[in-house]
Amino acid sequence: MDFDSILPQVGSFGPYQKFIICGVLLPAVIPCAFHAYSQLFIAARPGHWCRVPELDPWVLEYPDVVRNFSAPLEFRDGAWRFSECLAFKRNYTDLAEIWRTQGLSHATESISNDAEVTSCKDGWNYERKLFSSTVITEWNLVCEKDSYATVALVLFGVGGLIGNYVFGYLQDFWGRRPSFYAYLLLEILAGSLSALTWSYASWVFFRTLVGVTVPAILASPYVLAIELVGPSKRVFCTIVSNIAYSLGLVFLACIVYIFRDWRYLTLAVSLPLFLLFGCFAILPESPRWLVATGKFDEAAVIMRKMAQMNGKVLPPDYEEYLRKKVEAAVEQATPETRTYGIMDLLITPNMRKKTLIITFIWFANTSVYVGLSYYAPALGGNEIWNFFLAGLVELPTYIFLWPSLTFLGRRWILCASMVVGGVACLATFLVQQEHVVMLILYCIGKMGISSAFVVLPLAASELYPTVVRGLGMSVSSVIGMIGPIVIPIINYTGSNMLVLPLIIMGTLLCLGGCTSLLLPETKDQPLPQTIEDGENVPLSWPFPLFQLPRRKDKESPSESSAPSCES
């Protein structure tokens, strides 16, 4: 049964949907933003240098002087900087005695800058201006353990990949509402327990559990929202859910500004989420899912609530009406003689090309969006302010997209968003010593990828035929989830060259943007129902004045009369 055909009877977008979406579902997106990116600050790596026990009495009052005495200079990231993993071999006992008895000026005169260097023997001193404590400072995850924070992000992404796969089955078997609250409970408990951990290994374990929940926490409110409204309001749900997500990033920056100790920060982004359980009695199960699974009595109760708040009147036997509609739809439906699988996305030439293009663009978008969000603290300056701007600049993008998707279509907006974002990332190579210009280009790149991230799922859902739409969207998004696994490694490679990750991400975005032009425009087009319908909508060449030459094959008379499966 087409649920959209009966939705107007109870109101397809009335006060009920507006209250549930704006008052319950959109705030439910915030936990995803909190836990997806709080790890950047929980595991922030402050400036550090080798600890010299003899100079400890002065390290709090004169940190720069102590570092100048003990740390040699090395050329890193295009400039001379103090070494973080090497120290001068000096007689620090005598140096400390001179400083104590004769003063700082005599101690400075007594040192030599041509002393030999050695690795850190007694730990590290850390800058405490921005964060009083992080996972890095607690367990000294620097120098030979420098990759540990990156490993934690990679495992966080692996958890998300697993969670995304499991949740797809769970929400179809168990329902939208209980699945969301089960994942939310796991997220809160794992996040809170990670604040009480005693070692790096235990912390990574709980953070990986949090990663399992993040994609599901984002997807659940969105799925419920679009299943409560009619087709014409799905763009609204898409835009507004992304606005809520971006606001979550802004709120996270504000929380980080208040809580500078990693344990308090972890609790601050976890425990308040228990408030969302107060909406359990208000949040409905998806009536579409209830009808699809034959739970007509529960569906009728929710539909009556919707109708009452939306000013509609339903007959007393509405439950029986739903049952008969489904039975009639089943009787009229053509029996399905086959089951569709992944090979159906690849076996026909046109479908194969579309699947590969959509999946590549999905991977590019996921990788770059997560990568740029992870990259904000590495830009220099105030890490919290950088992240705040990265979330804030997304909001104007959605205001522009709202009318554009209605009037301009999908393909050109997707292409322009990715190319503009990609060019901005690539341009950072030319201004890598200009912090303000770098930050501006970074914000432009973030706006571009944020826009593309909204358009792509909408365009993909309109390109995949109905018989494989869910499968195609799932395959593309799951492959896209490989991005959060790979991108921390790419960012780690840029530790000695600040703009290298931006160059890689910019190239990926530009390639994805250019490739998107091959997809057909889907605005105001009927949704393809079968694989054959999809084959009848070929890939397009967007520049009619510059047509690609077509290959002319010699065919026999019998061959020329045969139908061709080429797009």
Side-chain angles (χ1 to χ4, degrees):
M1 182 188 68
D2 182 9
F3 190 85
D4 290 326
S5 65
I6 65 170
L7 189 59
Q9 298 174 1
V10 298
S12 58
F13 192 66
Y16 181 87
Q17 285 95 332
K18 294 174 183 177
F19 169 73
I20 294 296
I21 292 172
C22 297
V24 181
L25 294 179
L26 297 185
V29 175
I30 292 177
C32 176
F34 279 10
H35 282 285
Y37 299 109
S38 60
Q39 189 163 323
L40 298 178
F41 305 101
I42 292 169
R45 191 185 72 167
H48 54 277
W49 67 97
C50 295
R51 173 176 173 260
V52 177
E54 293 86 349
L55 301 181
D56 281 351
W58 298 280
V59 71
L60 293 178
E61 188 174 358
Y62 302 100
D64 294 335
V65 176
V66 170
R67 179 161 49 183
N68 187 51
F69 281 174
S70 59
L73 291 173
E74 60 184 17
F75 193 77
R76 188 174 71 251
D77 195 22
W80 287 97
R81 307 177 190 276
F82 285 107
S83 176
E84 297 177 334
C85 302
L86 296 174
F88 284 120
K89 294 175 66 175
R90 304 186 192 279
N91 188 335
Y92 288 105
T93 302
D94 290 347
L95 179 61
E97 182 62 25
I98 294 173
W99 192 345
R100 186 180 299 106
T101 59
Q102 301 181 37
L104 176 58
S105 59
H106 287 83
T108 304
E109 293 173 358
S110 68
I111 66 171
S112 171
N113 289 327
D114 58 354
E116 295 182 12
V117 296
T118 183
S119 59
C120 302
K121 305 295 184 183
D122 299 289
W124 289 264
N125 292 314
Y126 295 96
E127 294 180 352
R128 308 281 181 175
K129 297 177 182 178
L130 197 59
F131 299 103
S132 60
S133 174
T134 71
V135 168
I136 303 299
T137 63
E138 177 136 345
W139 295 308
N140 288 324
L141 305 181
V142 294
C143 295
E144 68 273 7
K145 296 182 179 180
D146 187 58
S147 62
Y148 282 33
T150 300
V151 170
L153 277 178
V154 170
L155 292 177
F156 186 86
V158 171
L161 184 62
I162 296 172
N164 197 34
Y165 181 78
V166 173
F167 179 74
Y169 288 98
L170 188 61
Q171 70 168 345
D172 286 338
F173 174 76
W174 202 5
R176 280 45 166 154
R177 185 176 71 160
S179 300
F180 169 74
Y181 279 106
Y183 267 64
L184 179 63
L185 181 62
L186 176 62
E187 183 178 69
I188 295 172
L189 293 179
S192 300
L193 289 173
S194 70
L196 308 176
T197 50
W198 56 92
S199 66
Y200 167 78
S202 59
W203 176 75
V204 167
F205 171 76
F206 286 116
R207 286 301 303 173
T208 303
L209 283 183
V210 173
V212 169
T213 68
V214 165
I217 295 296
L218 176 62
S220 295
Y222 174 71
V223 170
L224 258 174
I226 64 173
E227 289 184 343
L228 284 174
V229 302
S232 63
K233 296 301 180 182
R234 290 173 188 167
V235 171
F236 165 83
C237 292
T238 302
I239 296 293
V240 175
S241 64
N242 279 274
I243 290 176
Y245 185 81
S246 299
L247 287 175
L249 299 179
V250 173
F251 294 154
L252 174 60
C254 297
I255 293 173
V256 174
Y257 182 81
I258 298 172
F259 298 96
R260 306 298 183 93
D261 181 283
W262 76 270
R263 294 185 186 273
Y264 291 125
L265 174 59
T266 301
L267 294 175
V269 298
S270 300
L271 295 180
L273 302 182
F274 273 117
L275 294 174
L276 291 174
F277 282 89
C279 300
F280 185 82
I282 303 174
L283 184 65
E285 180 55 88
S286 168
R288 291 177 189 263
W289 179 81
L290 292 171
V291 169
T293 54
K295 299 179 180 180
F296 303 107
D297 52 343
E298 297 178 41
V301 171
I302 296 174
M303 300 287 275
R304 288 188 184 281
K305 290 181 180 178
M306 294 173 65
Q308 183 179 7
M309 187 173 290
N310 292 340
K312 304 285 186 175
V313 178
L314 296 179
D317 58 343
Y318 191 72
E319 176 185 338
E320 188 63 25
Y321 168 79
L322 288 177
R323 191 186 307 274
K324 290 181 179 179
K325 288 280 288 185
V326 172
E327 290 174 353
V330 171
E331 291 176 359
Q332 296 175 4
T334 302
E336 185 59 68
T337 59
R338 55 169 296 193
T339 300
Y340 290 90
I342 293 179
M343 288 305 299
D344 290 291
L345 299 172
L346 303 172
I347 197 169
T348 55
N350 201 8
M351 192 73 253
R352 178 170 61 250
K353 295 170 187 175
K354 290 177 183 176
T355 300
L356 293 176
I357 291 173
I358 292 171
T359 302
F360 170 69
I361 297 173
W362 210 304
F363 171 78
N365 279 0
T366 305
S367 300
V368 177
Y369 183 88
V370 174
L372 288 180
S373 298
Y374 282 177
Y375 194 78
L379 285 171
N382 190 300
E383 298 176 16
I384 303 173
W385 172 247
N386 291 347
F387 190 84
F388 176 82
L389 283 180
L392 192 64
V393 296
E394 294 183 12
L395 297 175
T397 303
Y398 304 136
I399 298 174
F400 166 77
L401 278 179
W402 204 321
S404 299
L405 286 173
T406 302
F407 297 106
L408 301 180
R410 292 33 165 163
R411 181 177 61 175
W412 283 104
I413 295 179
L414 179 60
C415 172
S417 300
M418 297 183 71
V419 170
V420 168
V423 170
C425 291
L426 291 173
T428 57
F429 177 76
L430 304 175
V431 293
Q432 48 189 305
Q433 299 302 325
E434 300 291 337
H435 171 69
V436 175
V437 180
M438 278 274 292
L439 186 58
I440 293 174
L441 289 174
Y442 168 84
C443 289
I444 294 174
K446 193 70 179 338
M447 293 176 70
I449 188 58
S450 300
S451 173
F453 217 87
V454 174
V455 182
L456 176 61
L458 180 61
S461 66
E462 295 171 337
L463 285 167
Y464 281 122
T466 299
V467 293
V468 292
R469 182 169 296 126
L471 178 65
M473 297 281 285
S474 176
V475 169
S476 296
S477 63
V478 166
I479 294 178
M481 285 298 296
I482 298 175
I485 300 175
V486 176
I487 206 67
I489 301 174
I490 295 177
N491 279 350
Y492 181 72
T493 62
S495 57
N496 292 323
M497 182 181 177
L498 182 63
V499 297
L500 179 59
L502 292 176
I503 293 173
I504 295 174
M505 289 187 282
T507 302
L508 197 59
L509 267 188
C510 288
L511 288 175
C514 294
T515 305
S516 69
L517 288 178
L518 299 177
L519 297 173
E521 177 57 64
T522 59
K523 174 181 175 292
D524 297 330
Q525 298 299 314
L527 293 179
Q529 300 297 319
T530 65
I531 298 292
E532 291 73 20
D533 290 341
E535 286 297 299
N536 292 331
V537 183
L539 299 182
S540 63
W541 179 250
F543 305 106
L545 297 180
F546 303 95
Q547 291 290 345
L548 291 176
R550 297 193 177 195
R551 185 181 64 184
K552 295 182 179 180
D553 297 327
K554 294 182 179 180
E555 300 174 334
S556 65
S558 59
E559 289 175 328
S560 62
S561 61
S564 173
C565 65
E566 291 294 331
S567 59

